[in-house]
Structures are given as C-alpha cells and as structure tokens.
C-alpha cells in the first residue's frame, strides 16, 4: 500500500512505524521509503508530496501504478472547522469535498460539488477501529500518553488549495455556506482521492490529525508542537486501521482432491533462472519433482540481487512417472558470472542436513550442488487417506478477529507444545530456528513437525527474518543477539494470532481475553513469551510446560462455550 504525507513532520510520524526500509526511485524521480510495519503483512511505500492537491495527485498516480497498490492512505494534519473537535483529535474523511468546484457570476457563487467517499468496507473498518480506538492504548504507543485523550471523528473534510487562516475569510464562509457538514479543511486530500479513483479498485482513506482551528491561532499552535502531536496521532490511527485491512484481490482457488499442480521447468542455464510457476515438473540432478500450489510461502520465489531462492511443496517422481515421497524442496541459484554468494548456499544446506539428522528433524531426500545451483529436499508428511501433503498451521489460524474456538485453540496449543520439543533439541545443540511462521509448522496427526530448521544453519544477524513475527532482537539497531529466546517469542506470536487474528505490534495493547474459554494461564504464557527483552522470556522448556498446563483447561471448557 502507499502512504502519502504533505509535510516533513507528517512523513517522520509515519516513518517511525516502518522497519527494514529501502529507498525506491520512480521513473519520474519521486523518492519513496519502502518498508514494513512489525506484525503486519503489508508492504508500505511512503512519500512526501508537498502541499496542494495538484502536487499530491501528481505523486499519487505514478506511485499507485509503480507498486500496483491496493490501498492509499493520506496521513497528516488538518485544521478543524467545528468547535467540538479538539487539537490532537483525528478526523477520518467520510467524504472529501473539492470545495473550489463551482460557478461564479454576477449573482454570486454557485457550488458544483466534487465529492469522493471511501468504500463501505473501508468506512466500517475505521468505525470498528474507532470503537476500540477511543481507548488511547488501543492505537498509541506507550511513550505517547496525551491528556486529554484524542478522539476519532468520521466526518467530511473540505479540501482546496487555499490555506484557511481565518474563519471569517471568504473561503471559510463559502465552505460553511455550501459544505456546512465539513469538520476539517486541508490542501491535499482531494488530489489523492482523485488519483486513487482513476484506478477503480484502489481503496483510499484520508486520516488527519487536528493541529489548529483554521484561524489566527494557527502559528502559535504550530509553535507549541501541535503539528507533531497531530501527525503522531494520525499515523498511529492509520496503523491501527491497517492492522484490520485485508487484501481485496482474490486469493488462489482452494485445491481440489487432485491438488492443483504448478508446472515447472528446470533452470535454463543459457537464458537464466526459470520461474517455478510456468511448467509442471522440475528436474534437479536427475531427480524429477511435481510441484504443488499452497498458501502463504509454500510456493515462493525471491530475488536478492542476482541470487534466486525458490521453495515449494513437491512430490518425487519415479522413473516410471509414478508419484512417490512428498518433499519440501528448496533451491538457490546464481549466475555463473557471479562470485559464490556468502554464505555458501551448499554449505548452509549441508549444515542443515547434518542438524536434521542430529535433532531428529525431517529426513533428507536430496542434497546436491552443481555449478551455480544448490538444492535441498526434506521429507514432507503425507495424508494417506486424501493422498496429498499434510496441511500446515496456516489453515488453523484465523485471518481476522473471531470468537475463540476452544477445540481449535486446543489443537494449536498442542501442536506448538510439540514443536517446542524440536526447538529444545535444537537449542541443546547451540542453534535456534528464528524463522517460525504458520507454514513452517506441519500438522501431523501423531506429532506436529517442522518443515525445516529455518535459520539454524546460518549465524544470527540483525535484520534477519523480515516477516510478521520478527522478534525485537532480530530488528536493526537491537543490542541483543537472536537465539533460543527468539524461538520462544515467535511461538508467542503464533499463539497471539490464534487468539486475536493478528500478530502483536508495539503500538497495540496487550491481549485481554473476552471469554472464559481462554485460560488465564495461557494468556500469561503468551504475555511472557512476547516480552521485548529476550532475557525476561521463559526458556523453551518452561514455555512448553506452560502450554501443556493449559491443555486440560481448554479440554474442560463446557460444551456451551465450544
């Protein structure tokens, strides 16, 4: 998604929420910071447009096209037009009036309104967030505790290219006369809304913190820090709304009993790497594999410069073409002209294969390296009745906040307690997984297993695992080294998502159960696992014991609450 701001103070307020940021230059020369918000799946492209609707529209249009954006948020400050709105409050536009549209003649000014409105779904997300957001801890970080508490208003905004410095000005009187329900005024929302509307399906919101009352006191209010406060509140509430926003584009269809097959070709050494989504079978050093589609990253390709990393759930094919073992297939490929990447991909796969044997991890089906390619295939458990690969924890976790299902939660807690056994064995060998996510946990009936050993075969480093569930010590700037405590944190993030439908984030309040179906012991276990300081988290064994202790309470939930 694209987040736009007009002023530097607004830009900095949003930028504080981003991590793993890189700079991207558009063909027109516009520079954007692109990063992620911890705990959220969205990639965010942030730009500073400068004032006026024209500038905002000229930046919005190419940014949407370049990033193929699904949503655009315009975040910043505005002047209040209503007395009930206080400095520091947040106004989210239920309508955006382009108040300059009209006809002026000898008989005076006649308005010809231009109006943009958010979709019903977007407005409902805002209203839902506001109901929680009137509690300041719902969307403000702990270091920002203003008095009085900011309120969130869903009301119209008037937008034009005139800075309104007096409520007695001609422009202010015109707004009151023709758009008298407008609660705030700004100089950019109309341009952003118009550019977003050209793309049809792009969802747009204007989220404005109130920094003045559109009057002569603006300069003194700005000097007192009102713009910084208003920008911070608007940015925090934008993140709160983004937490519940889901991609609008349809996901891939569910596989049929005969699983959907992705056709793959082997790498073409002459023309460069071939994508794993173009043909049905890939051949690796004499072994042929049939690849399957899957949710999340179960069929995924990424590039780091000229180095290509691929992974997929696959089925080994015999010489006769009959299907055999299911595998978790990973491959790293780099151009022949490129010096061997560091660390050496084949050496990393070899260390992981050795660790798998030492800690009773997945069996190694194939480990090969030739020329400019390294490949590792590990066994993936199969469902003998349905004749397909077993599903992962991904299928059990809710995509949005829903009432807790005690039986489903019991299955998740039991599965993660079993995963903790493998993590404990890994820890005793001096290693840690550090990349736990829902698709990394395979739901085997007898005993839940890990699909691989994550980052155990490479040394810990800051900035690793830039995905939802990244532990604080994995982020840039941390003074702590990732390790076994990182695995405990990531188990906590999976349980947090099971309870709430989303990953934890620093600006969100701690989870509070709303039903007796969630044992207090489980809530305490999750809270302890999610402590920011890794030294304060329980060890893996202690955390596993806490999970096992919660299972009897979950299984004893009365049928009326199941």
């Amino acid at each position: 998604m694209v987040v736009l701001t007009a002023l530097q103070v607004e830009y900095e307020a949003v930028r504080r929420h981003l991590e793993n940021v890189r700079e991207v230059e558009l063909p027109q020369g516009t520079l954007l910071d692109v990063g992620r918000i911890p705990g959220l799946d969205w990639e965010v492209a942030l730009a500073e447009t400068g004032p006026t609707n024209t500038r905002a529209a000229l930046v919005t249009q190419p940014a949407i096209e370049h990033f193929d954006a699904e949503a655009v948020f315009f975040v910043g400050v505005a002047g209040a037009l209503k007395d009930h709105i206080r400095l520091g409050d947040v106004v989210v536009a239920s309508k955006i009036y382009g108040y300059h549209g009209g006809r002026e003649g000898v008989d005076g000014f006649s308005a010809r309104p231009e109006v943009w409105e958010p979709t019903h779904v977007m407005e409902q997300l805002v209203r839902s967030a506001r109901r929680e957001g009137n509690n300041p801890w719902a969307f403000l970080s702990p270091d920002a505790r203003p008095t009085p508490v900011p309120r969130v208003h869903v009301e119209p905004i008037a937008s034009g290219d005139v800075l309104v410095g007096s409520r007695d000005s001609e422009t202010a009187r015109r707004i009151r006369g023709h758009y008298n329900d407008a609660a705030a005024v700004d100089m950019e929302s109309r341009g952003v809304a118009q550019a977003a509307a050209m793309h049809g399906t792009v969802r747009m919101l204007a989220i404005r913190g109130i920094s003045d009352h559109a009057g002569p006191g603006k300069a003194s209010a700005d000097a007192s820090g009102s713009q910084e406060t208003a920008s911070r509140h608007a940015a925090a509430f934008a993140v709160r709304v983004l937490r519940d926003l889901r991609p609008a584009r349809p996901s891939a269809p569910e596989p049929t009993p005969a699983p959907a097959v992705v056709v793959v070709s082997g790498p073409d050494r002459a023309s460069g790497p071939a994508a794993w989504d173009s043909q049905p079978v890939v051949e690796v050093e004499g072994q042929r594999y049939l690849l399957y589609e899957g949710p999340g990253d179960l069929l995924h390709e990424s590039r780091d410069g000229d180095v290509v990393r691929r992974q997929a759930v696959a089925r080994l094919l015999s010489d006769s073409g009959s299907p055999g073992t299911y595998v978790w297939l990973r491959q790293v490929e780099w151009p022949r002209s490129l010096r061997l990447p560091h660390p050496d991909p084949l050496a990393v796969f070899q260390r992981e294969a050795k660790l798998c044997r030492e800690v009773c991890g997945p069996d190694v089906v194939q480990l090969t390296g030739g020329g400019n390619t390294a490949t590792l295939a590990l066994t993936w458990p199969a469902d003998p009745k349905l004749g397909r690969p077993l599903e992962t924890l991904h299928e059990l976790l809710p995509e949005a906040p829903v009432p807790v299902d005690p039986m489903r939660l019991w299955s998740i807690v039991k599965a993660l307690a079993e995963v903790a056994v493998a993590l404990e064995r890994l820890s005793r060998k001096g290693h840690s997984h550090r990349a736990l996510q829902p698709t990394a946990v395979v739901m085997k009936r007898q005993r839940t297993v890990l699909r691989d050993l994550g980052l155990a075969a490479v040394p810990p480093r800051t900035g690793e695992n830039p995905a939802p569930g990244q532990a604080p010590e994995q982020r840039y700037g941390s003074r702590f080294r990732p390790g076994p405590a990182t695995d405990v944190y990531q188990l906590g993030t999976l349980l947090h998502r099971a309870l709430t439908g989303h990953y934890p984030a620093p600006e969100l309040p701690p989870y509070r159960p709303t039903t007796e179906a969630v044992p207090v012991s489980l809530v305490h276990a999750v809270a302890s696992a999610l402590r920011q300081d890794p030294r304060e988290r329980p060890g893996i064994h202690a955390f596993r014991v806490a999970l096992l202790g919660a299972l009897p309470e979950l299984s004893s939930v009365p049928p009326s609450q199941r």
Side-chain angles (χ1 to χ4, degrees), residues 307 334-342:
V307 179
W334 58 95
R336 291 186 183 277
S337 59
L338 184 70
R339 189 174 62 182
L340 186 68
H342 179 78

Side-chain angles (χ1 to χ4, degrees), residues 378-401:
L378 303 174
T379 55
W380 186 288
D383 186 327
K385 292 184 178 179
L386 298 179
R388 65 185 184 192
L390 282 176
E391 294 179 335
T392 68
L393 183 63
H394 181 280
E395 281 71 27
L396 277 182
L397 293 178
E399 290 295 331

Side-chain angles (χ1 to χ4, degrees), residues 345-369:
L346 180 58
V348 171
F349 282 161
Q350 288 171 335
R351 286 197 293 272
E352 183 171 351
K354 181 174 181 289
L355 269 175
C356 282
R357 290 188 287 268
E358 293 175 350
V359 301
C360 302
D363 292 333
V364 177
V365 176
Q366 184 178 10
L367 173 58
T368 56

Side-chain angles (χ1 to χ4, degrees), residues 330-491:
R330 288 179 291 157
Q331 187 178 83
V332 181
E333 184 169 10
W334 58 95
R336 291 186 183 277
S337 59
L338 184 70
R339 189 174 62 182
L340 186 68
H342 179 78
D344 178 358
L346 180 58
V348 171
F349 282 161
Q350 288 171 335
R351 286 197 293 272
E352 183 171 351
K354 181 174 181 289
L355 269 175
C356 282
R357 290 188 287 268
E358 293 175 350
V359 301
C360 302
D363 292 333
V364 177
V365 176
Q366 184 178 10
L367 173 58
T368 56
N372 58 331
T373 303
T375 304
L376 176 63
L378 303 174
T379 55
W380 186 288
D383 186 327
K385 292 184 178 179
L386 298 179
R388 65 185 184 192
L390 282 176
E391 294 179 335
T392 68
L393 183 63
H394 181 280
E395 281 71 27
L396 277 182
L397 293 178
E399 290 295 331
V402 295
V404 172
D405 178 343
M407 300 311 294
R408 180 189 293 253
L409 184 59
W410 184 91
S411 299
I412 294 172
V413 172
K414 177 178 177 293
L416 294 182
E418 291 168 348
V419 166
V421 175
L423 297 175
E424 194 174 354
R425 287 199 296 262
L426 199 58
S427 176
R428 286 197 292 266
K429 290 288 184 179
H431 298 274
S432 51
H433 191 286
R434 310 193 311 280
L436 291 169
Q437 53 186 303
T439 53
V441 179
V442 185
M443 303 298 291
K444 192 175 179 181
R445 185 163 300 175
Q446 298 84 357
R447 178 176 56 86
T448 303
V449 297
L450 292 167
R451 70 183 185 189
D452 57 36
L453 299 186
L455 300 175
V458 296
R461 61 181 179 85
T462 56
E464 66 180 16
N465 186 40
Q470 185 186 46
E473 61 270 21
Q474 293 180 296
R475 300 167 191 161
Y476 288 107
S478 173
R479 58 191 179 94
F480 298 111
R481 182 179 175 85
T486 305
D487 292 346
V488 174
Y489 182 90
Q490 291 176 350
L491 287 173

Side-chain angles (χ1 to χ4, degrees), residues 226-244:
S226 65
Q227 285 194 336
E228 288 83 355
T229 299
S231 298
R232 187 171 66 249
H233 293 179
F237 191 72
V239 171
R240 171 62 187 83
V241 174
L242 189 58
R243 191 190 82 183
D244 293 339

Side-chain angles (χ1 to χ4, degrees), residues 239-298:
V239 171
R240 171 62 187 83
V241 174
L242 189 58
R243 191 190 82 183
D244 293 339
L245 184 63
R246 302 298 175 205
R249 294 164 190 165
S251 56
E254 290 293 326
T256 60
V261 177
V262 178
V263 183
V264 196
S265 66
D268 180 352
R269 306 301 182 191
S271 59
W276 276 20
D277 60 357
S278 56
Q279 297 186 39
V281 175
V282 60
E283 184 170 335
V284 180
E285 302 293 334
Q287 298 277 26
R288 297 169 62 242
Y289 295 97
L290 188 69
L291 305 193
Y292 291 87
E293 288 181 343
D297 65 345
L298 295 185

Side-chain angles (χ1 to χ4, degrees), residues 1-3 18-19 34-45 68-73 122 125 203 238-239 241-249 468:
M1 71 164 298
V2 171
V3 176
L18 300 183
E19 292 192 348
V34 180
R36 290 189 178 274
I37 298 172
L40 303 183
D41 293 333
W42 289 95
E43 188 171 43
V44 177
D68 191 21
E70 286 209 34
V72 175
F73 283 9
M122 292 295 286
L125 280 179
R203 295 165 286 176
V239 171
V241 174
L242 189 58
R243 191 190 82 183
D244 293 339
L245 184 63
R246 302 298 175 205
R249 294 164 190 165

